[in-house]
């Protein structure tokens, strides 16, 4: 089989296409023929050598993908040959709190990821893909969708009538928008692009704020919520945007910290959290139980992920550059040809 690896070196020139044997499943393992994979910003940082953790080379990148089960090892009971499944980001976080996750079992680093024609995974680390989704759509779920669901539903107890603030129009933010709308919540979106804000409104956002034209966007959020602030913030920007997120959140509200696209430098006054009795939590994707609950909701509502652009799976360098450009609205997907 073919696989794409990150070899020693720096930058995207580390990418290599290599030949490897098709894996054989051991006890309680499954082998899937990969049909599609998708990108996350984590993949950009790992490929560029900027991620906060380094992983030994060679490494097959990408944590997210979907495929068809083509072989199973002994004692496998959760899936059968012919099933279509997604891999879980945390291969051994089945349920419970984050203390159940193990850093050594993350797909796409340090475990080999999904950018290969066949992947061997633990049977506990796969979930059935929603039947109504295409391969490309299902491939977007393992990180971005689970992160949004774990933030708002598993941890956030999202309920009808809540107001949710999403930052930008990347994968996590758009899934959060879609889940919130499906739950009967209101959504405010921020972006530097009026065009993207218009697209967010077509998905159900009731308001959009262009943060380049309105640098003090927290004040605009307060105006939209009659001075109360939002119930939930899906925070992807980092310390600079977090300061405004604090101001934009109602007393007793929640901020889910997802990423740091705006950088890692900045200062936060913890008294701002104390005075308003805010709940601030980091969201490291989510458990398999969250993934399964999310898929039930996706199937029930017929929700369809938003795909910004599709590439052939060997066009990984071009796809990573496109994601890093920040021009996307939704997920970037890599498709594998039929055998």
């Amino acid at each position: 089989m073919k696989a794409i690896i990150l070899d020693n070196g720096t930058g995207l020139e580390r990418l290599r296409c290599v030949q490897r044997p098709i894996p054989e499943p051991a006890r309680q393992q499954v082998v899937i023929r990969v049909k599609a994979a998708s990108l996350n910003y984590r993949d950009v940082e790992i490929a560029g050598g900027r991620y906060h953790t380094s992983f030994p080379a060679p490494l097959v990148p990408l944590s997210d993908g979907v495929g068809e089960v083509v072989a199973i090892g002994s004692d496998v009971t959760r899936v059968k040959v012919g099933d279509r499944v997604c891999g879980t980001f945390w291969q051994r976080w089945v349920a419970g709190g984050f203390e159940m996750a193990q850093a050594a079992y993350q797909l796409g680093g340090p475990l080999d990821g999904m950018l290969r024609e066949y992947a061997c995974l633990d049977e506990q680390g796969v979930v059935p893909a929603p039947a109504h989704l295409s391969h490309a759509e299902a491939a977007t779920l393992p990180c971005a969708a689970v992160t949004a669901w774990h933030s708002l539903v598993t941890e956030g107890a999202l309920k009808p009538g809540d107001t949710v603030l999403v930052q930008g129009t990347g994968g996590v933010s758009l899934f959060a928008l879609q889940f919130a709308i499906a739950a009967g919540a209101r959504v405010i979106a921020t972006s530097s692009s009026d065009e993207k804000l218009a697209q967010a409104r077509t998905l159900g956002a009731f308001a959009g704020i262009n943060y380049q034209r309105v640098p003090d966007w927290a004040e605009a959020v307060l105006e939209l919520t009659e001075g109360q602030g939002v119930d939930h913030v899906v925070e992807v920007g980092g310390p600079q945007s977090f300061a405004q997120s604090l101001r934009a959140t109602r007393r007793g509200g929640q901020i889910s910290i997802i990423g740091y696209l705006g950088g890692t430098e900045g200062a936060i006054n913890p008294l701002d959290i104390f005075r308003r009795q805010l709940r601030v939590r980091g969201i490291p994707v989510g458990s398999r139980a969250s993934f399964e609950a999310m898929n039930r909701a996706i199937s029930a509502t017929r929700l369809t992920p938003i795909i910004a652009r599709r590439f052939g799976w060997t066009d990984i360098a071009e796809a990573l550059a496109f994601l890093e450009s920040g021009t996307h609205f939704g997920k970037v997907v890599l498709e594998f040809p039929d055998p």
Side-chain angles (χ1 to χ4, degrees), residues 133 138 166 268:
L133 298 183
V166 300
I268 300 298

Side-chain angles (χ1 to χ4, degrees), residues 143-175:
C143 280
V146 174
T147 298
W149 180 271
H150 201 74
S151 302
L152 293 177
V153 182
T154 306
E155 296 286 352
L158 178 71
K159 61 185 183 299
D162 282 355
T163 302
V164 177
L165 173 69
V166 300
Q167 298 175 348
T169 54
V172 174
S173 295
L174 288 185
F175 275 119

Side-chain angles (χ1 to χ4, degrees), residues 25-236:
R27 179 177 177 271
Q28 295 185 323
Q29 289 184 332
V30 302
V31 174
I32 67 172
R33 179 186 292 122
V34 180
K35 298 290 188 179
S38 72
L39 298 183
N40 298 287
Y41 197 74
R42 177 180 188 264
D43 302 313
V44 172
E45 293 204 317
I46 290 173
R50 303 188 302 273
Y51 195 55
H52 55 73
T53 303
S54 60
F55 304 117
L59 172 71
V60 177
L62 307 195
S63 57
D64 291 16
V66 66
E68 178 188 348
V69 176
V70 294
I72 61 175
S74 61
D75 299 325
V76 169
T77 60
R78 297 191 61 250
V79 297
K80 63 184 184 302
V81 172
D83 287 352
R84 192 175 66 138
V85 299
C86 298
T88 61
F89 176 78
W90 296 97
Q91 282 287 284
R92 294 196 178 182
W93 185 8
V94 174
F98 183 58
E99 67 275 8
M100 303 302 293
Q102 299 179 48
Y105 291 93
Q106 302 169 75
L107 284 184
L111 292 181
D112 276 344
M114 302 299 288
L115 201 57
R116 45 183 166 162
E117 292 180 308
Y118 294 86
C120 187
L121 304 174
D122 192 292
E123 71 160 329
Q124 300 298 331
V126 297
V127 299
H132 72 284
L133 298 183
S134 68
H135 297 322
E137 291 164 344
T140 68
L141 301 179
C143 280
V146 174
T147 298
W149 180 271
H150 201 74
S151 302
L152 293 177
V153 182
T154 306
E155 296 286 352
L158 178 71
K159 61 185 183 299
D162 282 355
T163 302
V164 177
L165 173 69
V166 300
Q167 298 175 348
T169 54
V172 174
S173 295
L174 288 185
F175 275 119
L177 186 160
Q178 290 179 289
F179 293 149
I181 296 301
R186 299 194 309 164
V187 176
I188 300 171
T190 67
S191 174
S192 61
S193 164
D194 287 337
E195 181 182 356
K196 290 181 179 179
L197 290 174
Q199 289 177 283
R201 289 190 185 94
T202 67
L203 295 176
F206 89 94
I209 302 169
N210 187 317
Y211 60 78
Q212 285 195 337
R213 288 208 315 272
V214 185
D216 189 8
W217 52 262
E219 187 63 32
V221 170
L222 292 174
E223 291 177 7
L224 288 166
T225 57
E226 299 179 346
Q228 296 301 304
V230 299
D231 300 281
H232 305 264
V233 176
V234 178
E235 169 62 58
V236 302

Side-chain angles (χ1 to χ4, degrees), residues 12 15 38-41 43-44 47 50 169-171 174 195-196 199 261 306-312 315-334:
L12 296 184
L15 292 164
S38 72
L39 298 183
N40 298 287
Y41 197 74
D43 302 313
V44 172
R50 303 188 302 273
T169 54
L174 288 185
E195 181 182 356
K196 290 181 179 179
Q199 289 177 283
L261 295 177
I306 308 302
I307 295 176
R309 189 169 169 188
R310 303 165 190 245
F311 293 84
D315 297 325
I316 177 62
E318 184 182 355
L320 287 166
F322 174 72
L323 181 65
E324 190 170 18
S325 74
T327 60
H328 57 289
F329 183 91
K331 294 289 291 179
V332 178
V333 174
L334 300 166

